[in-house]
Amino acid sequence: MKIKSYNILVLIAILIVFLGCSKDDDFKLLDPEIVFVNSDGNSVLEGWCIDLNENYALQITLKSNGNGKFKTKKKIDYTINGVPYSVTFTELGTKTIPVNFIEGTNVAQLIDTGESISLDVVFCNATIVSNKISFVFADGSDIPTEGCLDLNSNYAVKIETEKQGTGDLETTEIEYTLNGVVYSTTFTEVTNKILPVTLSEGNNVVQLIDSGNAASLDVVISCNATIIANKISFVFADGSEISAGECLDLNYNYAVKIETVKQGTGDLETTEIEYTINGVVYSTTFTEITTKILPVTLSDGENVAQLIASGNTASLDVVLSCNATIIANNISFVFADGSEIPSGECLDLNSNYAVKIET
């Protein structure tokens, strides 16, 4: 009976040892798997544009073909672009190791197995895109939507840009047309450029070739500054003012004074100013901003001068009888020769006497 019990114990022990060895023998580490991934864990595929602002990594995955326990550490030796590295696994799974790609071919290789992966890297640089073009003054200030444009002023086109994409900026050539003629300019950064242009009479059109964005500007050559007569008045012929209420003598010389101002910008146009004196139309020509004194002949009564364009008027009353009056202010007796008669002197009636009237 003792022998049978002993045999049973031995059999159980052997069975336990057998089962244990069988489980360990089933556990086997597989060759590691390697792949390049981005920050989202997605595989980086050949032909992708690599953004330097993103994070990339080498992903190493360790698996087994059984259900046994990972009893020891596993060191994986590998190289990236020829530089050796190592990573240690204490359990099955995946380790993500950051990498910095170089432009061109990047190679990761497992030293033990010789397995390798490669990736041709092209850095995707940002592009400078021109999104707006417009006409401006040469100093970059805006041209009012309403206003007289003078060809003697300096004008320019303003090209505005923006960044499209990520990474380093590429030098970009921007093409545009002005009145159908093609021009180009180079941008190395996102900025605005002011480029001088020569305008022509009529409608000027500028357009960005890539985006199609366009602007137009009408230029009229005759849109120069105008001379405006804004005031007319009566004056003496020397230009001095006539005082209000002054008695006027038709024997004096008089004139009308026409004053002018500039309206608009650019060169002054020769301007003919029309005016009337007592209903009769006259005209005079101005080539600059100045004041003109024009002689006039006045008549008895009210005289009216008027600028035809502005309607500004002046009036002046002339009265012919408004001449000086002689006033006798003293009368006295004198000798006939005008000499004074002494006071208290004895007078001889045979002498000649007279009266003296002073005015």
Side-chain angles (χ1 to χ4, degrees):
M1 191 66 181
K2 278 185 176 180
I3 293 172
K4 188 180 284 188
S5 297
Y6 175 78
N7 289 337
I8 292 172
L9 290 173
V10 171
L11 183 62
I12 292 172
I14 292 172
L15 183 61
I16 291 172
V17 171
F18 174 78
L19 291 174
C21 290
S22 176
K23 188 173 182 181
D24 286 340
D25 289 343
D26 287 341
F27 180 78
K28 183 180 179 183
L29 291 175
L30 299 177
D31 289 339
E33 299 173 359
I34 55 175
V35 64
F36 288 120
V37 296
N38 62 14
S39 57
D40 297 327
N42 298 319
S43 297
V44 180
L45 301 179
E46 193 70 41
W48 275 19
C49 181
I50 300 300
D51 181 3
L52 289 175
N53 296 317
E54 288 244 12
N55 296 317
Y56 297 92
L58 175 67
Q59 197 175 80
I60 302 177
T61 301
L62 192 59
K63 298 179 180 178
S64 75
N65 66 351
N67 298 319
K69 293 181 180 179
F70 197 145
K71 294 182 179 179
T72 59
K73 296 180 180 179
K74 178 65 175 175
K75 181 182 177 185
I76 305 295
D77 294 311
Y78 64 96
T79 63
I80 296 179
N81 296 328
V83 180
Y85 301 93
S86 65
V87 63
T88 300
F89 285 81
T90 57
E91 59 182 353
L92 299 176
T94 298
K95 288 190 178 293
T96 302
I97 302 123
V99 296
N100 293 318
F101 288 128
I102 60 172
E103 190 164 16
T105 302
N106 291 259
V107 178
Q109 184 175 33
L110 295 171
I111 293 177
D112 289 342
T113 66
E115 181 186 355
S116 66
I117 57 172
S118 65
L119 180 69
D120 281 331
V121 169
V122 177
F123 294 123
C124 49
N125 293 323
T127 304
I128 299 171
V129 176
S130 56
N131 60 341
K132 185 180 179 184
I133 193 168
S134 57
F135 286 105
V136 292
F137 288 113
D139 62 1
S141 58
D142 291 336
I143 298 173
T145 53
E146 294 182 3
C148 180
L149 297 180
D150 180 10
L151 281 180
N152 294 318
S153 295
N154 296 319
Y155 299 94
V157 290
K158 176 180 172 185
I159 299 178
E160 301 174 47
T161 59
E162 61 182 8
K163 182 178 180 180
Q164 190 176 76
T166 56
D168 293 337
L169 286 170
E170 292 181 332
T171 298
T172 305
E173 184 181 30
I174 303 296
E175 290 187 319
Y176 63 99
T177 62
L178 173 62
N179 297 330
V181 180
V182 178
Y183 300 88
S184 66
T185 183
T186 301
F187 284 82
T188 58
E189 59 182 338
V190 175
T191 185
N192 298 331
K193 273 195 176 183
I194 307 297
L195 305 169
V197 295
T198 300
L199 301 180
S200 57
E201 184 183 15
N203 194 34
N204 293 261
V205 177
V206 66
Q207 185 174 33
L208 292 169
I209 292 178
D210 283 345
S211 69
N213 181 265
S216 62
L217 185 68
D218 263 340
V219 174
V220 182
I221 287 182
S222 61
C223 188
N224 290 323
T226 305
I227 299 171
I228 302 294
N230 64 336
K231 185 178 180 183
I232 192 168
S233 57
F234 286 104
V235 292
F236 289 111
D238 62 0
S240 58
E241 293 185 0
I242 299 172
S243 302
E246 184 172 343
C247 183
L248 299 178
D249 183 359
L250 283 180
N251 293 319
Y252 277 49
N253 296 319
Y254 299 94
V256 288
K257 180 167 87 171
I258 298 177
E259 301 173 50
T260 59
V261 293
K262 182 179 179 179
Q263 186 177 77
T265 58
D267 291 339
L268 287 170
E269 293 182 331
T270 298
T271 305
E272 185 180 30
I273 303 297
E274 291 187 320
Y275 62 100
T276 63
I277 303 290
N278 299 328
V280 180
V281 177
Y282 300 89
S283 68
T284 185
T285 300
F286 284 83
T287 58
E288 59 181 341
I289 303 300
T290 186
T291 297
K292 277 194 174 184
I293 307 297
L294 304 168
V296 295
T297 301
L298 301 181
S299 59
D300 186 29
E302 185 180 33
N303 293 262
V304 177
Q306 184 176 37
L307 292 169
I308 292 177
S310 68
N312 181 263
T313 61
S315 62
L316 185 68
D317 267 339
V318 175
V319 182
L320 287 177
S321 61
C322 185
N323 291 320
T325 303
I326 298 173
I327 305 294
N329 63 344
N330 189 29
I331 190 169
S332 59
F333 286 105
V334 292
F335 289 113
D337 61 0
S339 60
E340 290 185 2
I341 300 171
S343 176
E345 185 174 340
C346 180
L347 298 177
D348 181 3
L349 287 178
N350 292 318
S351 294
N352 296 319
Y353 298 95
V355 290
K356 177 181 173 185
I357 299 175
E358 300 175 53
T359 59

